[in-house]
Amino acid sequence: MSLQTPLVTPWFTMPMAAVTLVLIAGHLMAMHAVKDMPASRKRIRSMNGGLMLVATPMLAIAFSVVTPANPRAFALAWTVSVGLVGMITLLAVLDAINNLRLYRMSRSRLHAEFRAVRRASGQRPS
């Protein structure tokens, strides 16, 4: 590999990045069309999708535009790319924690309903 050439040819990465951007945007639009999604889940996933929309072209640039021959641009592109991927990963972990919180809340509400039904059925005459 020469220092004058990018890591991957732009003919491969740019179309792949374009397809990925379309898929991410489509997913975000479909997610916003859903009415019964909890607001916290929608906020976290929207933010994560927005970061993915920024990270995708940045990664394409890091892989196929900047070259090691220009060390400042190369280091900046990769630093920003790694930082964005780290933030996306952090939001994914927060989404998982939020899903556990939503599950526990839903489960406790369901148990409360079961207790209310049991109490109500026990008070009725046989």
Side-chain angles (χ1 to χ4, degrees), residues 60-91:
I61 289 168
F63 272 111
S64 64
V65 175
V66 297
T67 63
N70 185 354
R72 173 176 255 160
F74 191 77
L76 181 62
W78 279 104
T79 301
V80 171
S81 295
V82 169
L84 286 168
V85 170
M87 289 191 301
I88 289 167
T89 305
L90 178 64
L91 278 175

Side-chain angles (χ1 to χ4, degrees), residues 12-125:
F12 177 73
T13 56
M14 293 305 171
M16 294 296 286
V19 169
T20 303
L21 285 171
V22 168
L23 291 173
I24 293 168
H27 172 71
L28 284 172
M29 290 171 50
M31 182 184 63
H32 284 289
V34 175
K35 299 294 182 208
D36 61 344
M37 181 183 288
S40 61
R41 181 178 292 161
K42 194 175 281 194
R43 278 191 304 269
I44 292 171
R45 291 184 181 181
S46 295
M47 188 62 144
N48 210 354
L51 283 175
M52 287 181 201
L53 287 173
V54 173
T56 300
M58 192 67 227
L59 283 164
I61 289 168
F63 272 111
S64 64
V65 175
V66 297
T67 63
N70 185 354
R72 173 176 255 160
F74 191 77
L76 181 62
W78 279 104
T79 301
V80 171
S81 295
V82 169
L84 286 168
V85 170
M87 289 191 301
I88 289 167
T89 305
L90 178 64
L91 278 175
V93 169
L94 289 174
D95 188 30
I97 292 168
N98 184 52
N99 284 334
L100 288 172
R101 181 187 67 85
L102 292 172
Y103 164 74
R104 287 184 185 129
M105 286 174 38
S106 174
R107 187 174 148 199
S108 68
R109 268 189 257 125
L110 188 61
H111 281 291
E113 286 179 34
F114 281 149
R115 282 191 298 272
V117 167
R118 284 185 192 140
R119 268 187 254 126
S121 66
Q123 293 173 355
R124 291 184 190 157

